Amino acid sequence: MSKQVARIVYQHSKEGEYVPDNVRGGNPVGMLNNAYTNDNGCFTSGSWGSTVGKWYFEQKDYEEFCYILEGKARLIANGEEEGQTFVAGDCFVIPDGFKGFWETIEPVKKFYCVYEKKDTTSPQSKL
């Protein structure tokens, strides 16, 4: 039997709202709406949004592709002063090992795809 194509649309989810850890500015509220997870749980995709604010994060054991639908955000890696700014229509990848700041300058909506580095060969990963 063939699997169905997963359509990804931006949809705000009150259940997906959260306050980011390590906030360094503003009062940001994030929203995560995961729309697809593959069979082994290594690949996910969906929509994400954020109100204005800035927080520190570390990308560990996963990589993320982002497509900005609307808004304006800046990512500032440790050791950088200005970082990179992204607006509607921009695509970028946050690599495994990134450490730095996400700053939402104007409320952001984005699509994301995440690949997690999991050991899918061990018996524990099948649980």
Side-chain angles (χ1 to χ4, degrees), residues 93-115:
V93 172
I94 305 172
D96 181 26
F98 176 90
K99 296 177 183 179
F101 296 91
W102 175 285
E103 181 178 13
T104 298
I105 300 165
E106 297 172 5
V108 168
K109 293 180 179 178
K110 74 174 185 179
F111 289 141
Y112 69 87
C113 295
V114 170
Y115 175 75

Side-chain angles (χ1 to χ4, degrees), residues 27-49:
N27 295 303
V29 175
M31 186 286 307
L32 178 67
N33 186 12
N34 192 53
Y36 174 80
T37 302
N38 72 345
D39 291 341
N40 65 12
C42 289
F43 181 82
T44 58
S45 188
S47 57
W48 179 90

